[in-house]
Amino acid sequence: MPSFKVKVKWGKEMFPDVEVNTDEDPLLFKAQLFALTGVQPNRQKVMVKGMTLKDTEWGTLPLKDGVMVLLMGSKEEDVPSEPAVKPVFMEDMNESELASAMDLPAGLTNLGNTCYLNATVQCLKTVPELRDGLQNFKANLGGGAFVPSLSITVALRDLYTMMDRGASFSPVVLLQVLRLAFPRFAEKGAGGVFMQQDANECWTELVRMLQQKLPAVPVEGASKQPKSLIEQYFGGRFDVEYKCDEAPEEAPARSEEDFLQLSCFISQDVRYMLSGLRSKLQEHITKNSPTLGRDAVYTKTSKISRLPAYLTVQFVRFYYKERESVNAKILKDVKFPMEFDAVELCTTELQEKLAPMRDRFKQLEDKKVEDQLNLKDKKAGDTKVKTTREPYWLENDLGSNNSGYYTLQAVLTHRGRSSSSGHYVGWVRQNDNTWLMCDDDKVTPVSGEDILKLSGGGDWHCAYVLLYGPRILEIPEGTTLAPPQAGRGEEKMETETSSNTQE
């Protein structure tokens, strides 16, 4: 075959009068194209009128002077390099790799009816101040006598450290020291199997043990220094008044009571959490009347005088049935809010202290509405604006709540008909609308809508213990609010707010 002069088209470039000698090997022509374009021969695809040139022979390629030769291929530097770490598909990942890829926390192995402990540990882990306090706790277990509070604090600290490494982990050490400290958690049923236990009892005992060992964060200028970190961040205070119903002339008696948990009592009329909390804060009791010289009925009224940063609410769902000798469960649907406003439950003095920060929250909400109406920033939802976080505690009272506003961050649920049977699960907030269902060693993302379905009303998981954290005031960069002023424009205390979702 003779030589031809052809036109070579490569992408947007055209090379005229390229000589082709069909008496030579096709690889020589490809080498010539490499010199023109920089495309390696092994990356070249050469075509003439739909026919492809092979490396070993010209075949019946329709070559002639002036014919268009199409070259396809990329230069070496234009081809993406192979990634240093090859991609791994989710279905090929093991449990540890999957948890890391999805930013999921570690699950906890069920060691035989120990879901009550696993759910409690997952919920408490959402409190960063508690995590910091445990990390700073430097004591270790020695060879001396068994000290329950020390052993449980060290075991929980070490468990959280191991959980931070990802994948499922066995809480065997914490379980052992818990059973040594509280033998009721080691009770066995038929066949020698460890019995299911009440998760709220486990929660209460763990917190009580931590209260004895974790020191409070010192606060300069505080009139009263808290005794422990638990009291500082989880502890609230009631102002209590006792008024005798049978002797109106008797002066009311007053006292203070500390609490680590609020109780939501569930009666026939209670449909919302706030209603259940109200019923506990005003109740009738019988005690000795110095005026009458005998037992009499008193109205006990409690108001919160100190709100903790982290508010624990227990739904009183279990009651003792004598006939069956079992703690039966109240399955009633009781709604709870994602955002809770506790101001109605507070004393007048505390409401006045909360007013300045509540006003700042209101100012920020008003500014957001105004910006939306004026369409000042149409791309606000597409870009992440830098914000400044303001302290959530009252001055000289670190660990308190300075607004009365709370955000739900963990839910402990029970599925079953009695506290000594069924199954417990922890549900923890990962971000604004993403939650994680911590079902022992299985951790699964769920939505905020799924959390609101945990209010009860059937055999599905029912909320048993709720953990609310402080709602943080985050001010966008460039936004200016009026400085806090006590009593400045405090809104009317409404019970039917959207945040509390009352009837």
Side-chain angles (χ1 to χ4, degrees):
M1 288 186 181
S3 297
F4 304 101
K5 287 190 176 181
V6 300
K7 293 183 290 186
V8 176
K9 180 175 175 55
W10 176 57
K12 295 181 179 180
E13 297 188 49
M14 181 73 74
F15 301 94
D17 300 330
V18 178
E19 190 171 332
V20 182
N21 188 348
T22 56
D23 290 331
E24 297 174 342
D25 194 273
L27 280 175
L28 292 176
F29 177 59
K30 288 193 172 185
Q32 187 179 353
L33 295 179
F34 168 64
L36 291 172
T37 63
V39 179
Q40 292 281 356
N42 62 337
R43 296 184 182 276
Q44 294 177 13
K45 184 175 183 179
V46 180
M47 300 183 68
V48 180
K49 294 184 178 182
M51 297 184 66
T52 304
L53 174 63
K54 297 180 180 179
D55 290 340
T56 56
E57 61 179 358
W58 294 96
T60 58
L61 205 67
L63 289 171
K64 62 180 181 179
D65 288 330
V67 76
M68 180 73 71
V69 176
L70 182 63
L71 171 64
M72 292 184 288
S74 301
K75 292 189 290 186
E76 187 91 25
E77 56 267 28
D78 294 335
V79 178
S81 59
E82 182 179 356
V85 180
K86 293 185 177 180
V88 180
F89 295 100
M90 292 181 63
E91 52 267 28
D92 298 326
M93 293 181 179
N94 59 36
E95 189 175 309
S96 176
E97 293 169 336
L98 188 62
S100 177
M102 298 185 67
D103 193 25
L104 300 180
L108 293 170
T109 306
N110 192 318
L111 300 174
N113 285 332
T114 58
C115 55
Y116 66 92
L117 174 63
N118 293 345
T120 299
V121 168
Q122 293 283 17
C123 291
L124 290 175
K125 192 172 183 285
T126 64
V127 180
E129 292 84 357
L130 175 60
R131 296 289 312 281
D132 292 342
L134 286 168
Q135 288 179 356
N136 295 330
F137 187 70
K138 301 303 181 184
N140 288 295
L141 298 179
F146 175 70
V147 180
S149 57
L150 174 63
S151 299
I152 287 176
T153 302
V154 170
L156 186 60
R157 178 199 65 192
D158 294 346
L159 176 59
Y160 282 160
T161 301
M162 295 299 296
M163 290 173 68
D164 286 340
R165 299 176 184 175
S168 296
F169 193 76
S170 174
V172 61
V173 176
L174 178 61
L175 181 63
Q176 288 176 340
V177 296
L178 180 70
R179 286 172 173 170
L180 282 173
F182 307 102
R184 69 176 180 277
F185 293 113
E187 293 176 351
K188 294 183 178 181
V193 178
F194 285 107
M195 297 175 62
Q196 180 67 280
Q197 301 294 329
D198 188 315
N200 187 58
E201 290 183 10
C202 175
W203 182 303
T204 301
E205 297 296 5
L206 284 181
V207 169
R208 191 167 63 87
M209 293 296 97
L210 296 174
Q211 185 178 10
Q212 296 179 28
K213 285 299 175 183
L214 295 181
V217 179
V219 181
E220 293 185 10
S223 57
K224 181 180 179 182
Q225 293 286 349
K227 298 177 182 178
S228 73
L229 184 139
I230 296 298
E231 178 186 322
Q232 191 170 37
Y233 286 95
F234 290 81
R237 191 171 302 112
F238 285 127
D239 279 355
V240 184
E241 179 186 86
Y242 298 90
K243 187 168 181 61
C244 184
D245 296 354
E246 300 179 42
E249 69 280 3
E250 183 177 305
R254 291 180 170 82
S255 64
E256 288 187 344
E257 293 180 5
D258 294 329
F259 68 86
L260 294 175
Q261 239 182 35
L262 293 182
S263 297
C264 174
F265 278 82
I266 302 175
S267 64
Q268 186 176 356
D269 299 329
V270 171
R271 293 188 296 147
Y272 297 90
M273 185 182 80
L274 185 56
S275 301
L277 293 175
R278 283 200 209 106
S279 66
K280 172 62 179 174
L281 298 184
Q282 186 167 47
E283 56 187 339
H284 294 288
I285 64 169
T286 300
K287 74 183 197 77
N288 184 268
S289 168
T291 302
L292 301 176
R294 59 175 175 82
D295 286 347
V297 176
Y298 281 76
T299 297
K300 178 184 177 182
T301 304
S302 302
K303 288 284 186 179
I304 298 175
S305 58
R306 190 215 188 233
L307 279 172
Y310 295 91
L311 187 66
T312 307
V313 179
Q314 181 218 0
F315 281 32
V316 185
R317 287 198 174 274
F318 298 106
Y319 66 99
Y320 188 70
K321 271 189 174 181
E322 292 187 12
R323 182 178 298 178
E324 291 87 356
S325 298
V326 67
N327 281 327
K329 183 178 178 181
I330 302 172
L331 298 173
K332 183 178 175 63
D333 183 359
V334 179
K335 305 294 185 186
F336 56 87
M338 284 289 191
E339 304 288 336
F340 177 58
D341 184 0
V343 70
E344 179 189 334
L345 308 178
C346 301
T347 62
T348 303
E349 292 78 6
L350 181 55
Q351 288 179 358
E352 292 175 356
K353 293 180 181 179
L354 303 179
M357 184 55 72
R358 293 172 67 84
D359 178 66
R360 288 177 70 75
F361 272 105
K362 186 175 184 301
Q363 287 184 60
L364 184 59
E365 290 299 321
D366 291 345
K367 281 186 176 292
K368 288 180 179 179
V369 172
E370 182 182 347
D371 289 347
Q372 289 176 353
L373 291 175
N374 295 333
L375 300 176
K376 288 183 178 179
D377 189 2
K378 295 182 180 180
K379 297 182 179 179
D382 300 329
T383 57
K384 194 169 183 179
V385 180
K386 290 184 179 180
T387 59
T388 302
R389 295 163 65 94
E390 295 207 346
Y392 59 79
W393 57 86
L394 291 167
E395 187 178 0
N396 298 330
D397 190 6
L398 182 65
S400 63
N401 183 304
N402 62 3
S403 68
Y405 293 132
Y406 288 92
T407 299
L408 186 65
Q409 68 181 49
V411 181
L412 189 152
T413 62
H414 177 265
R415 183 177 185 179
R417 294 292 177 133
S418 73
S419 62
S420 56
S421 64
H423 186 58
Y424 292 97
V425 171
W427 311 69
V428 300
R429 185 190 290 269
Q430 188 180 37
N431 52 48
D432 287 344
N433 195 44
T434 303
W435 285 68
L436 299 173
M437 175 183 177
C438 301
D439 186 356
D440 291 327
D441 57 347
K442 297 178 182 177
V443 180
T444 310
V446 296
S447 69
E449 289 73 20
D450 294 320
I451 300 302
L452 294 176
K453 294 175 183 177
L454 303 174
S455 55
D459 285 331
W460 180 237
H461 291 280
C462 296
Y464 185 32
V465 182
L466 305 181
L467 181 61
Y468 284 92
R471 182 178 167 192
I472 308 297
L473 181 63
E474 298 188 64
I475 302 177
E477 196 174 55
T479 300
T480 304
L481 302 181
Q485 297 177 23
R488 180 186 183 276
E490 172 62 6
E491 68 274 18
K492 181 182 178 182
M493 304 303 179
E494 297 181 350
T495 59
E496 274 131 52
T497 61
S498 58
S499 62
N500 283 329
T501 322
Q502 292 304 304
E503 62 269 68

